[in-house]
Amino acid sequence: MEKKKSLVKLVESLSGVLFVIGYFKYDLIVATKLFIAASTFSILLSVILKVKIDKVQLITWIVALVLGGGSIWLNDESIIKWKPTLTNSILSIVLLLSHVIGKKTIAERLLDDKLNVKREKLRKLNLFAVGYLLFVAGLNVFVAQNFSTDIWVNFKFFGLLGINLVFFFLCFLYLKDELKEFSEKTKQ
């Protein structure tokens, strides 16, 4: 089953690579078509291989279909530029709602059984992720509205990669004691 999941993740990540290639070789509309095709293939592959479809993957695919489809249909590049903003906004709402719906936040559900972390610390991490996603959503709007499509594409892939790395570094730093304890347990 792990090999199947890895294959789906590989195909899913190729959709981003195809987007970049499509953009730099052709234009944003072609890149959008390639992204939608590869993302759809990734979803179909998940169904065929009976691999559970990741919620983030599903949200990204639906947003890409709606906004990308609008961009293609209307031949308007500006519509697809809202995808990162809409996707990150939806994810931030889901994370925020997990504080009031259900017994555990998303961060608690993801990490509670893996790390020995106090509930309050995971709830704070969850709120940090909400803030981060909203920041990235707003930053995307700023870049999309104030800079060229070339700059936006570079920001989307290279700028957001750097920002994501900083976010994950800060999360690891926040959980460093718990991660150290986890590492020591797994070595035994």
Side-chain angles (χ1 to χ4, degrees):
M1 187 55 116
E2 280 303 310
K3 287 183 180 181
K4 290 178 182 181
K5 284 182 184 178
S6 296
L7 179 61
V8 169
K9 287 291 179 194
L10 176 65
V11 171
E12 184 183 346
S13 59
L14 285 176
S15 62
V17 172
L18 287 173
F19 181 90
V20 171
I21 292 169
Y23 176 73
F24 286 111
K25 189 152 175 75
Y26 301 102
D27 62 24
L28 192 56
I29 299 300
V30 170
T32 301
K33 289 176 184 178
L34 289 171
F35 183 83
I36 289 172
S39 297
T40 301
F41 180 69
S42 174
I43 294 287
L44 290 173
L45 189 61
S46 296
V47 172
I48 292 166
L49 297 177
K50 295 182 171 92
V51 173
K52 184 179 178 204
I53 298 172
D54 182 78
K55 288 180 178 95
V56 173
Q57 176 190 13
L58 184 62
I59 290 169
T60 301
W61 177 64
I62 291 169
V63 172
L65 277 178
V66 172
L67 297 181
S71 278
I72 294 164
W73 185 39
L74 299 172
N75 198 30
D76 183 353
E77 292 183 348
S78 67
I79 299 170
I80 193 62
K81 290 180 181 180
W82 283 90
K83 185 185 104 23
T85 295
L86 188 56
T87 302
N88 286 319
S89 296
I90 290 169
L91 293 173
S92 70
I93 290 167
V94 169
L95 286 171
L96 189 59
L97 287 176
S98 75
H99 278 268
V100 293
I101 298 173
K103 294 179 181 176
K104 294 182 174 185
T105 64
I106 301 295
E108 290 172 277
R109 291 179 199 164
L110 290 173
L111 299 173
D112 203 21
D113 62 339
K114 294 168 187 65
L115 298 175
N116 184 20
V117 185
K118 291 180 181 172
R119 182 172 193 253
E120 201 52 43
K121 194 166 188 176
L122 286 176
R123 293 179 71 78
K124 286 179 183 176
L125 181 66
N126 202 72
L127 286 173
F128 178 58
V130 169
Y132 164 75
L133 290 166
L134 290 174
F135 168 74
V136 170
L139 189 57
N140 180 69
V141 171
F142 176 77
V143 173
Q145 298 294 315
N146 294 295
F147 297 96
S148 69
T149 299
D150 282 345
I151 291 175
W152 177 78
V153 169
N154 281 305
F155 160 76
K156 184 180 181 322
F157 283 95
F158 306 113
L160 286 181
L161 174 63
I163 293 168
N164 285 337
L165 290 174
V166 169
F167 169 72
F168 285 116
F169 174 76
L170 292 173
C171 289
F172 288 134
L173 199 59
Y174 182 67
L175 297 172
K176 71 178 181 204
D177 295 334
E178 291 82 0
L179 290 168
K180 184 178 178 184
E181 181 184 318
F182 176 76
S183 176
E184 289 168 359
K185 280 184 183 177
T186 56
K187 285 181 185 177
Q188 295 173 357

